Amino acid sequence: MSSSSSADSRRQFLRQFGLTAAATAVAGPTVALATSPSTMQYDDQKKLGFAIVGLGKFAQQQMMPAFKECKHARITALVSGSPDKARKLAREYGVEEKNIYSYDNFDSIKDNPAVDVVYIVLPPGLHAEYTIRAAKAGKHVLCEKPMANSVADCQKMIEACEKAGKKLMIAYRAQFEPFNLDAIARIKKGELGKLRQITADHGRSVKPTEEPAEAWRVQKKLAGGGSLMDIGIYSLNATRYLTGEEPVEVTAQEFSDKSDPRFKEVEDTIHFTLRFPSGVLASCTSSYSIQEVKRFRAFGDKAWLDLDPATDYYEHHMTIGDKDGKRQPKIKEGNQFAAELDHMAECVLQNKTPKTPGEEGLKDIRLVMAIYEAARTGKRVKV
Amino acid sequence: MSSSSSADSRRQFLRQFGLTAAATAVAGPTVALATSPSTMQYDDQKKLGFAIVGLGKFAQQQMMPAFKECKHARITALVSGSPDKARKLAREYGVEEKNIYSYDNFDSIKDNPAVDVVYIVLPPGLHAEYTIRAAKAGKHVLCEKPMANSVADCQKMIEACEKAGKKLMIAYRAQFEPFNLDAIARIKKGELGKLRQITADHGRSVKPTEEPAEAWRVQKKLAGGGSLMDIGIYSLNATRYLTGEEPVEVTAQEFSDKSDPRFKEVEDTIHFTLRFPSGVLASCTSSYSIQEVKRFRAFGDKAWLDLDPATDYYEHHMTIGDKDGKRQPKIKEGNQFAAELDHMAECVLQNKTPKTPGEEGLKDIRLVMAIYEAARTGKRVKV
C-alpha cells in the first residue's frame, strides 16, 4: 500500500483494505507527509487529543465537526490512506501535518504525546486490528459500532486494552442522544406503565455502484455481515437500553435476493425478535433495500412512546400516546457526537469505565451471531 | 335461556352463550316480543333486509348507524337475548317489533321474507352455529371476523352456505376502507417500487372487569383465542391484501402473564412473522395489554407507505416517505361499514361472489392456527 499515491480514490482505498489489510498490519512507519502550515483552531490544550482513523463520509460530515462542540476532546491527529484528503482535513481542523499518519506508519503514533485516544472509524472488519494496534501503541480506544466481525475479535480487543491498561469504548451514539436518553428515563420512571413490547425498524438503501464509498457495506470481510451488522444493530441495541435487560432468546427470518449483486456476500433484510426476562417481546426489522427508516416504539400497559426518527443524526421526534390521545414532548436537541466524545475523554481523565465499554459491543455481537444462527436454522436460539 | 328475563345484563348474556350455546341450537321459536308501533325510517323497499344478530357495542355504535348511508341495505330484523335493548333499537331503526328475534326463536327467521341477509355480530365462538342456522333458514350470511374458532368450523360454514345456495361473506371492513384501498392501489401500481417488507401492529387494553361487555374476549370458548384472533388478525389480513400474496411460512413468539386473570385462557401478546413467495417479510405484533395501536407500514425499495391509524373506524392517516422526504396524500374518508354492507347486498342482488368470502376468512384462520403452532413449538411452520 503506497501512501504517496495521489490517485487513490475512495474505491481504491477500500479495495486496498479488503486485499491488503493483513499485509499492512506488519508494515513499518513510512515517510511523514507534507509540511503545509498548521492552522490550529483549538487553543484549549487541556483537551484530550484524538486521532481519527478513517476519514470517510461519516467522519467528515458528522463526527469531526462535533469536536468543535466538545469540552474535553479535540482532534490532534489523522490516520488515512489518502494523503491529500488527510492534508485538506488537517488544515480544516488545525491538525499539525506531522500528526498525519498512514495505515502503514500508524503504529508510530505510540511516540506521539499529542494523541491520547484513537477513534477508529474504519469498516468493522478492521476494528480488531486497529484497536489492538492502538492499544499496543499505548492509546485509549474509541471504536465505531459494530464492534467487530466476531465474538473472538471483540474479546481480543477487550483483552488488548486491558493488557495495555487503556480504556475501550464502543461508539453507541444513540446512548448519548437526548431523545433516546429521555425515552430511557421515561420508561425507567414508569411513565409508560409496565413495558410490554418494542418494535424497532432500521432500513436504508445501499448503492455500492452509485456510491463507491458504500462498497465495503456489502463485502463480508469488511462489514462482517449485511444490514444487521450495520443498522439492525441500532434496533438491537435500542431494545437493550430501553428495557435495561438482556434478552434470553432470539429468533430471525432473512430474505436476500441472491440475484442482486449487493447481496452475494451479505444479507439484505433480516427480521428478528428478542424475548426479555420480564416478558417484553421486541420485534425488529433491518433492511438494505428499502428507503431510510430509523424508528422504534416502546409499548407499556399505560402508554406508548415513539421515536421516529429515533437514531438519526439530528431532528428526532418523540410522540407519546395513551388512552387520552397523543402528545409531542418538547425535548432539546443536543449533539450526540460531542456528548459521546466528551464522555470518552472524561472516562480517561477521571479513570472511569465508559458507559458503553467493549463489553457492551461484545454483548451485541454475541446477539448478532445468535440472530444469524436463528435465521440459518429457523430455530429459537437461547442466549 | 329465557328471552323474557328483564334482568339479563350483558354479562349474563355472555355467560349464557358460553354455557348454553349448544342447548340454544336445538331450541324452537318462542313467543314474539312486544308490540310498540314501528317508526320505519327507510322508505326504499328495494333495499335488501338485514337481520342483525348480536346488539353489542360495536353493532350499536359503529355498524348499525352505517346503514343510514347504505344504498342497498337496511336493517329489517334484530336478534338479541335482551328484549328491552332490542325493542329500543327497533324503535330507533324503524324495525317492526314482529321482526325482533331471540336466540331461541332465531330459526323461525326462515319464514320472514323481510330478511335477506343475516349479519352475525356475535363472539367468534358462536359464528359457526349461527351461520349454519342462518343458511338452513335460507338466508345469506355476513359474518364478523375472525370467521370461527377452528378451520373445521370455517369449512362447515362454507359448506352450509353452499348447500343452501346462499352467499357467505366475512366482514373484513378494512378491505372496504378508502385509505386501505388507496394503499393497496399504490402498491399495486408500483408507487413504492418493489415491495420488500411490512410491519403491522395492533394492540388494545382489554379490561373485562371494568367493562363486562369485554368479558368474552378473554374466554377461549367464545373468543377462540386472545389478541391474535381479535386484533392481530387485522395485521395478518393486511399483510395479505397489501402484498396480494399468500404467505408460505410463519413464525411466532408469545408472552402472556399467566398470573394476570385476563390471560388464563387466551394469549396476551403474540408477535409473528410471515414470509411471502416474492420474498416480502412481514413482522406483526398483537397485544391485549398495551394502549391502542392500529398501524402498518409497507416498505418498497423506492418508498414506504404508512397508515397510522390503519384500521380504525374513522380518521385514518397516510404518510409516504422516500428519498426526497415525507408527504401526506389527501384521501377522502369514507364509511367502510356502509361500503361493506352495500357490497354484501350487491353480491346478493347481482349473484356475485363477495370480495371477502368464507374462503378469505378460512385462509386467515388457517394462518392463525399455524401462528399458534409456531408460538407453541418455536419452529417455522410451512403453510
Side-chain angles (χ1 to χ4, degrees):
Chain A
M1 182 176 181
S2 165
S3 61
S4 60
S5 163
S6 60
D8 54 347
S9 69
R10 180 72 183 169
R11 187 194 292 258
Q12 283 172 317
F13 166 81
L14 290 163
R15 190 180 305 128
Q16 285 164 345
F17 277 131
L19 298 174
T20 66
T24 60
V26 294
T30 59
V31 182
L33 298 167
T35 52
S36 66
S38 162
T39 55
M40 178 62 82
Q41 295 174 341
Y42 303 101
D43 49 40
D44 184 355
Q45 295 297 327
K46 286 176 187 167
K47 288 179 179 175
L48 287 195
F50 280 60
I52 310 302
V53 185
L55 306 177
K57 188 173 154 188
F58 170 77
Q60 288 187 53
Q61 295 184 2
Q62 306 303 332
M63 181 263 291
M64 291 173 69
F67 275 91
K68 292 171 183 164
E69 296 185 36
C70 285
K71 294 177 199 155
H72 307 296
R74 64 187 181 118
I75 301 171
T76 52
L78 301 175
V79 184
S80 172
S82 305
D84 291 345
K85 178 164 68 176
R87 271 191 296 266
K88 182 178 166 293
L89 287 166
R91 282 192 293 275
E92 188 179 337
Y93 284 89
V95 172
E96 296 184 63
E97 292 237 356
K98 69 180 170 64
N99 292 347
I100 295 175
Y101 293 84
S102 71
Y103 294 107
D104 297 317
N105 70 4
F106 169 68
D107 303 283
S108 66
I109 208 164
K110 72 177 189 296
D111 303 319
N112 191 337
V115 175
D116 303 288
V117 177
V118 167
Y119 185 178
I120 298 164
V121 201
L122 296 168
L126 301 169
H127 288 181
E129 177 192 334
Y130 282 86
T131 294
I132 293 165
R133 286 169 72 181
K136 283 186 179 166
K139 305 302 180 187
H140 302 282
V141 178
L142 175 59
C143 179
E144 263 305 313
K145 42 61 48 193
M147 184 170 173
N149 284 10
S150 69
V151 166
D153 275 356
C154 294
Q155 287 168 330
K156 282 180 203 159
M157 292 161 74
I158 292 170
E159 283 162 21
C161 292
E162 274 177 0
K163 197 175 164 191
K166 297 294 161 186
K167 305 294 178 193
L168 172 58
M169 172 169 153
I170 310 303
Y172 282 107
R173 60 181 172 80
Q175 293 199 42
F176 297 90
E177 191 286 316
F179 284 69
N180 282 268
L181 294 174
D182 188 272
I184 294 166
R186 286 174 194 269
I187 291 169
K188 209 168 197 173
K189 75 181 183 195
E191 194 170 317
L192 309 186
K194 185 167 165 50
L195 195 62
R196 307 307 293 245
Q197 74 177 44
I198 295 169
T199 61
D201 306 302
H202 282 81
R204 77 195 307 171
S205 178
V206 288
K207 294 170 185 164
T209 48
E210 291 172 43
E211 295 177 40
E214 296 282 302
W216 68 266
R217 295 191 199 275
V218 297
Q219 294 170 27
K220 182 85 186 284
K221 191 173 174 183
L222 285 171
S227 74
L228 174 58
M229 283 287 275
D230 187 34
I231 52 174
I233 199 167
Y234 286 105
S235 292
L236 172 62
N237 199 251
T239 67
R240 293 178 50 241
Y241 61 69
L242 292 174
T243 58
E245 294 184 273
E246 296 301 329
V248 292
E249 189 180 80
V250 306
T251 68
Q253 318 305 322
E254 186 208 325
F255 177 73
S256 306
D257 176 358
K258 289 296 175 188
S259 73
D260 185 327
R262 296 176 296 174
F263 308 121
K264 286 219 181 314
E265 297 185 18
V266 303
E267 84 280 0
D268 171 12
T269 301
I270 189 159
H271 290 197
F272 55 100
T273 70
L274 306 157
R275 184 186 297 273
F276 289 87
S278 63
V280 169
L281 287 179
S283 285
C284 305
T285 73
S286 172
S287 178
Y288 260 172
S289 63
I290 61 176
Q291 292 301 310
E292 187 169 285
V293 58
K294 302 175 170 183
R295 66 169 184 171
F296 62 65
R297 192 178 285 194
F299 301 78
D301 59 2
K302 299 273 182 292
W304 51 258
L305 184 156
D306 190 272
L307 279 192
D308 185 6
T311 56
D312 215 335
Y313 300 139
Y314 302 98
E315 296 187 12
H316 298 82
H317 191 74
M318 184 186 287
T319 307
I320 295 174
D322 60 21
K323 64 183 172 52
D324 299 322
K326 296 181 189 179
R327 60 197 169 90
Q328 278 83 35
K330 288 269 178 295
I331 297 162
K332 197 171 178 293
E333 285 279 354
N335 190 318
Q336 62 193 309
F337 303 105
E340 179 183 63
L341 293 162
D342 270 337
H343 177 76
M344 178 71 197
E346 283 167 3
C347 288
V348 171
L349 290 165
Q350 300 165 22
N351 192 24
K352 291 190 308 188
T353 300
K355 181 182 175 183
T356 55
E359 289 75 8
E360 173 77 356
L362 170 60
K363 281 177 187 167
D364 273 356
I365 296 300
R366 272 193 210 285
L367 289 167
V368 162
M369 297 306 154
I371 291 166
Y372 283 139
E373 184 190 337
R376 202 168 53 241
T377 62
K379 291 180 181 159
R380 287 176 183 154
V381 175
K382 302 274 180 200
V383 286
Chain B
M1 181 178 181
S2 165
S3 60
S4 60
S5 163
S6 60
D8 52 349
S9 69
R10 179 74 183 167
R11 188 194 291 257
Q12 283 171 317
F13 165 81
L14 290 163
R15 191 180 304 129
Q16 285 164 346
F17 277 129
L19 298 174
T20 68
T24 60
V26 295
T30 59
V31 183
L33 298 168
T35 52
S36 66
S38 162
T39 55
M40 178 63 81
Q41 296 174 339
Y42 303 102
D43 49 42
D44 185 354
Q45 294 297 326
K46 286 177 187 165
K47 288 179 179 175
L48 287 195
F50 281 59
I52 310 301
V53 186
L55 306 175
K57 187 174 155 188
F58 170 77
Q60 288 187 52
Q61 294 185 2
Q62 306 302 333
M63 182 263 291
M64 291 174 69
F67 275 91
K68 293 170 183 164
E69 296 185 35
C70 284
K71 294 176 197 157
H72 308 296
R74 65 189 181 117
I75 301 171
T76 53
L78 300 175
V79 184
S80 172
S82 305
D84 291 344
K85 179 164 68 177
R87 271 191 295 266
K88 183 178 166 293
L89 287 165
R91 282 192 294 275
E92 187 178 337
Y93 284 90
V95 173
E96 297 183 62
E97 292 238 355
K98 69 180 172 64
N99 293 346
I100 296 175
Y101 294 83
S102 72
Y103 293 106
D104 297 316
N105 71 4
F106 168 68
D107 303 283
S108 67
I109 208 164
K110 72 177 189 298
D111 303 319
N112 192 337
V115 175
D116 302 289
V117 177
V118 167
Y119 185 178
I120 298 164
V121 202
L122 296 168
L126 302 169
H127 288 181
E129 178 193 333
Y130 281 86
T131 295
I132 293 164
R133 287 169 72 182
K136 283 185 178 165
K139 305 301 181 188
H140 302 281
V141 177
L142 176 59
C143 178
E144 264 304 314
K145 43 60 48 192
M147 185 171 174
N149 284 9
S150 69
V151 166
D153 275 355
C154 294
Q155 288 168 329
K156 283 179 201 160
M157 293 161 73
I158 292 170
E159 282 162 22
C161 292
E162 274 176 0
K163 196 175 165 192
K166 297 294 161 186
K167 305 294 178 194
L168 172 58
M169 172 170 153
I170 310 304
Y172 282 107
R173 60 182 173 79
Q175 294 199 41
F176 298 89
E177 191 286 316
F179 284 68
N180 282 268
L181 294 174
D182 188 272
I184 294 166
R186 286 174 194 270
I187 291 169
K188 209 168 196 172
K189 74 179 183 196
E191 195 171 317
L192 310 186
K194 185 166 166 51
L195 195 62
R196 307 306 294 244
Q197 74 176 45
I198 295 169
T199 61
D201 306 302
H202 281 81
R204 77 195 308 170
S205 178
V206 288
K207 294 171 186 164
T209 49
E210 290 173 43
E211 296 177 39
E214 296 281 304
W216 68 267
R217 294 190 201 275
V218 297
Q219 294 170 27
K220 181 84 186 286
K221 192 172 173 182
L222 285 170
S227 74
L228 174 58
M229 284 287 275
D230 188 33
I231 52 173
I233 199 167
Y234 286 105
S235 292
L236 173 62
N237 198 250
T239 66
R240 293 178 50 240
Y241 61 70
L242 292 174
T243 58
E245 295 184 273
E246 295 302 329
V248 292
E249 190 180 78
V250 307
T251 68
Q253 318 305 322
E254 186 208 324
F255 177 74
S256 306
D257 177 359
K258 290 297 176 188
S259 72
D260 185 327
R262 296 176 296 174
F263 308 120
K264 287 220 179 316
E265 297 185 18
V266 302
E267 83 280 1
D268 171 11
T269 300
I270 189 159
H271 291 197
F272 54 100
T273 70
L274 306 157
R275 184 187 297 275
F276 289 86
S278 63
V280 170
L281 287 180
S283 285
C284 305
T285 73
S286 172
S287 178
Y288 260 172
S289 63
I290 61 176
Q291 292 302 309
E292 188 169 284
V293 59
K294 302 175 170 183
R295 66 169 184 170
F296 62 66
R297 192 178 284 195
F299 301 78
D301 59 2
K302 299 274 182 293
W304 51 257
L305 183 156
D306 190 271
L307 279 192
D308 185 5
T311 57
D312 215 334
Y313 300 139
Y314 302 99
E315 297 187 11
H316 299 83
H317 192 75
M318 184 185 288
T319 307
I320 294 175
D322 60 22
K323 63 182 172 51
D324 299 321
K326 296 180 188 180
R327 60 198 170 89
Q328 278 83 35
K330 287 269 177 294
I331 298 162
K332 197 170 177 293
E333 286 279 354
N335 190 317
Q336 61 193 308
F337 304 105
E340 179 183 63
L341 295 162
D342 270 337
H343 177 77
M344 177 71 197
E346 283 167 3
C347 287
V348 170
L349 290 165
Q350 300 165 22
N351 193 24
K352 291 190 307 188
T353 301
K355 181 182 175 184
T356 54
E359 289 74 7
E360 173 77 356
L362 170 60
K363 281 176 186 166
D364 273 355
I365 296 300
R366 272 194 209 285
L367 289 167
V368 162
M369 296 306 153
I371 290 165
Y372 283 139
E373 183 190 337
R376 202 169 52 243
T377 62
K379 292 180 181 157
R380 286 175 183 156
V381 175
K382 301 273 179 199
V383 287

